[in-house]
Amino acid sequence: MALEVKLDAFEGPLDLLLHLIEKNKVDIYDIPIAEITRQYMEYIKAMETEDMNVMSEFLVMAATLLDIKCKMLLPAEVNEEGEEEDPRAELVEKLIEYKMCKYMSMELKDMRFDADKHMYKNPTIPKEVLEYKAPVNYDELLSDANLEALSRIFEEVLKRAEDKIDPIRSKFGEIKKENVDLEKKQEVVFGYLRSHKHCSFRNLLSEQRSKMDTIVTFLILLELIKISAVVVKQESENDDIDIECVNIDDNLGMLLES
Amino acid sequence: MDKKEAYGTIEAILFAVGNSVEIETIATALDVSKEEVLEYIDDMQTEYAKKNRGIQIVRLENSVQLRTKDDYYDALIKVTNVPKKQTLSDSAYEVLSIVAYKQPVTRMDVEKVRGVNSDHIINRLVELSLIEEKGRLNAPGKPIVFGTTEQFLRSFGVASLEELPEMSNDMIEEFKVEAEKEVEVNLKMDV
Amino acid sequence: MDKKEAYGTIEAILFAVGNSVEIETIATALDVSKEEVLEYIDDMQTEYAKKNRGIQIVRLENSVQLRTKDDYYDALIKVTNVPKKQTLSDSAYEVLSIVAYKQPVTRMDVEKVRGVNSDHIINRLVELSLIEEKGRLNAPGKPIVFGTTEQFLRSFGVASLEELPEMSNDMIEEFKVEAEKEVEVNLKMDV
């Protein structure tokens, strides 16, 4: 049994219910739930996969059927109008609705086939029309404005501007955040040098983001040269700087402490 | 404005805009009543029906739009790239028919009829502009309600929802009999 | 294919494509010669020239295209440019009042008073011809200065800027008292 069959024919529990019922319609008058279960298990086996969706759909269906069976065993419920409620009514109602929905969906499918033969057109609005700008209607635009209102608005704006100034805090100087954390930067550069031993300055810089980062990295390198932790070489002006690490580990500890 | 000029203007508008245009918008542009516009469009539809015309006016609720006649489909596919037809699964058609016939509906309403969660399909239909959100229900959780779109009307070739096929009474009666039988069969007690 | 059907097919093709279509493509689709297509198009152009048509066929080198007749541009503008009721927002009035009272002002001046960037509103007021550029300030960056326009005077029904109401004395007095109070507070802090 192909998987597609399951997708199309066994979409939902009601569908599954319908299908199984239709199969038994001809001569079997009473179908025990046990029998439906058995058939269902066969179906599952035939699919060779235990699809959780199909299984849970079946559980919903079986529970619905059991619920109705239980209601049938109990004394009939009486509704507000004093009529006995048929527990099957709800299921019948649902089945009718579902059957109608199935039928209508088939009708829609046919209609779509015919409608697809028409073609529509994308907008082609002439440039002259697109570029047209409506003249401003000043009477409408400024209908509720006059000079008095304008001067009142201006006073309000000024007043608000005054209110915004915090008389105390506005006198404080500005404190700027330091953008580059020197210690962290050192560790990053050291880490890079430790893992590379021999590297180019440009590669080292490729990990830096801002101008400040670049400058600090260069200063760290100068410091390293000073304490003889690295040896640098540059063939000619504007060339890349070749960095070679010399007993870097011993020296770095010193630098970090200082 | 004389009648002929009105026809010309309406054709110019519908052609340039390409999309559907509300009758009311046309009435405002022509400075005539909506009834007059409808009358003009009737005349034009008769004119367009002639063999030497390749286009026709289609009515979509309160709007109109130009489209090609289906007679020329075969010639057209030789020239233009036919927009790829979005195929819908059978379950998508089911959800669509529920929304079309029972709108406005919530996700829950659809699920109740089909018996399975249909959120995924609903989302897909919204994506295809066949259905759209139509507001929220004044009920617990304020669930979104869905309805069909103008694109739905276009795709299924109907001018309004009223033109959707109706179920005949015979059909409904038949379904009822079937459903009752099926339920009966299942309720014979012998677990 | 009879002539009328050919006209219809050509119209359908040109409509659906929207852009220009080569004569040759049409000939292939109709299975006729290019000369025949040209003949058909001649006939169609005559037909389209009538008053009751809103579109026309234009010839471009070896292609043809459907276009809106320019006679109907005015009607089309009414459809595409639905006039929105234009009103000024409260913030636009604020900016306008600042420009009116403190002109010439730069964008920066306005921003300082309002505490928020007001470039967008300034641009809109320039577009509406209520304010305009009045030159550049001799300061770093040579910022543009703005002032009110003649349209502004006309709209507010005044002959000149002198007629702008002065700030009420009460208001000025109030500002003074506030400012003095603040200075006092600041002086105390400094000690």
Side-chain angles (χ1 to χ4, degrees), chain C residues 9-171:
Chain C
T9 315
I10 294 173
E11 185 176 62
I13 290 172
L14 293 182
F15 174 84
V17 174
N19 298 316
S20 61
V21 184
E22 285 193 14
I23 307 283
E24 193 156 356
T25 313
I26 298 174
T28 313
L30 266 67
D31 199 19
V32 296
S33 71
K34 274 167 74 172
E35 287 67 32
E36 274 171 290
V37 173
L38 287 173
E39 198 186 300
Y40 295 150
I41 285 178
D42 258 1
D43 299 346
M44 290 171 78
Q45 279 177 323
T46 318
E47 192 59 32
Y48 279 126
K50 290 186 186 160
K51 212 179 180 184
N52 64 334
R53 302 302 312 266
I55 47 180
Q56 56 184 338
I57 297 186
V58 288
R59 189 68 197 278
L60 322 129
E61 303 269 0
N62 302 317
S63 311
V64 281
Q65 181 172 6
L66 273 185
R67 285 246 185 95
T68 319
K69 281 189 193 166
D70 42 11
D71 307 358
Y72 297 115
Y73 281 1
D74 286 346
L76 198 50
I77 282 169
K78 285 189 198 150
V79 174
T80 53
N81 271 285
V82 181
K84 282 168 264 162
K85 199 173 185 298
Q86 288 179 314
T87 46
L88 286 185
S89 64
D90 289 351
S91 358
Y93 274 117
E94 275 180 33
V95 174
L96 193 57
S97 77
I98 295 167
V99 176
Y101 277 92
K102 304 189 76 157
Q103 59 189 309
V105 290
T106 64
R107 290 174 192 275
M108 220 21 215
D109 294 335
V110 177
E111 182 166 341
K112 259 188 213 151
V113 177
R114 294 191 66 226
V116 281
N117 181 300
S118 310
D119 290 359
H120 185 74
I121 300 172
I122 290 175
N123 296 344
R124 170 99 180 106
L125 290 173
V126 169
E127 217 180 86
L128 289 168
S129 302
L130 289 171
I131 66 173
E132 64 191 353
E133 296 187 10
K134 296 280 192 184
R136 287 176 180 273
L137 203 66
N138 198 5
K142 301 258 176 224
I144 299 164
V145 290
F146 295 90
T148 51
T149 59
E150 261 182 48
Q151 180 60 55
F152 171 85
L153 295 178
R154 259 199 305 280
S155 295
F156 283 88
V158 286
S160 81
L161 285 173
E162 270 106 72
E163 287 183 39
L164 274 179
E166 279 179 43
M167 298 258 287
S168 66
N169 281 333
D170 286 0
M171 199 69 191

Side-chain angles (χ1 to χ4, degrees), chain A residues 93-94 96-98 100-101 104 108, chain B residues 94-114 131 134 137 145-148 152 161 164:
Chain A
E93 207 54 44
K94 277 182 100 173
I96 294 174
E97 200 164 41
Y98 187 67
M100 284 169 75
C101 149
M104 287 306 182
L108 282 184
Chain B
E94 271 179 42
V95 173
L96 198 55
S97 72
I98 295 169
V99 176
Y101 281 91
K102 306 188 72 160
Q103 60 187 311
V105 291
T106 63
R107 291 176 192 273
M108 222 19 217
D109 294 333
V110 177
E111 183 166 339
K112 260 190 212 150
V113 177
R114 297 192 64 231
I131 66 173
K134 295 278 190 187
L137 203 65
V145 290
F146 295 89
T148 51
F152 169 84
L161 289 173
L164 283 179

Side-chain angles (χ1 to χ4, degrees), chain A residues 196-238:
Chain A
H196 288 77
K197 300 290 178 208
H198 197 120
C199 63
S200 98
F201 186 57
R202 278 191 193 145
N203 285 344
L204 176 58
L205 280 187
S206 68
E207 306 210 340
Q208 316 305 329
R209 263 168 262 125
S210 67
K211 197 189 249 177
M212 203 54 181
D213 279 337
T214 307
I215 294 170
V216 171
T217 308
F218 188 64
L219 288 176
I220 292 170
L221 186 67
L222 287 181
E223 194 64 28
L224 290 173
I225 297 168
K226 202 175 103 190
I227 62 166
S228 312
V230 297
V231 177
V232 297
K233 248 191 308 191
Q234 189 179 28
E235 292 296 340
S236 64
E237 210 178 334
N238 291 330

Side-chain angles (χ1 to χ4, degrees), chain A residues 11 21 30-31 69 88 97-99 101-104 108-109 112 115-116 118-119 121 124, chain B residues 15-16 56 67-68 85-86 90 94 101-102 114 155 167 171 178 182 184-188:
Chain A
E11 241 288 316
I21 287 168
D30 32 0
I31 301 148
K69 277 203 173 185
R88 290 167 297 183
E97 200 164 41
Y98 187 67
K99 277 170 179 287
C101 149
K102 264 260 151 110
Y103 174 79
M104 287 306 182
L108 282 184
K109 212 171 175 178
R112 182 141 185 260
D116 269 341
H118 298 286
M119 289 195 195
K121 179 182 153 295
T124 48
Chain B
F15 174 82
Q56 59 185 189
R67 69 177 187 197
T68 58
K85 192 174 157 182
Q86 296 282 0
D90 285 351
E94 271 179 42
Y101 281 91
K102 306 188 72 160
R114 297 192 64 231
S155 297
M167 293 278 295
M171 205 74 177
E178 266 180 39
E182 283 162 15
E184 194 76 29
V185 163
N186 274 283
L187 290 175
K188 291 292 146 186

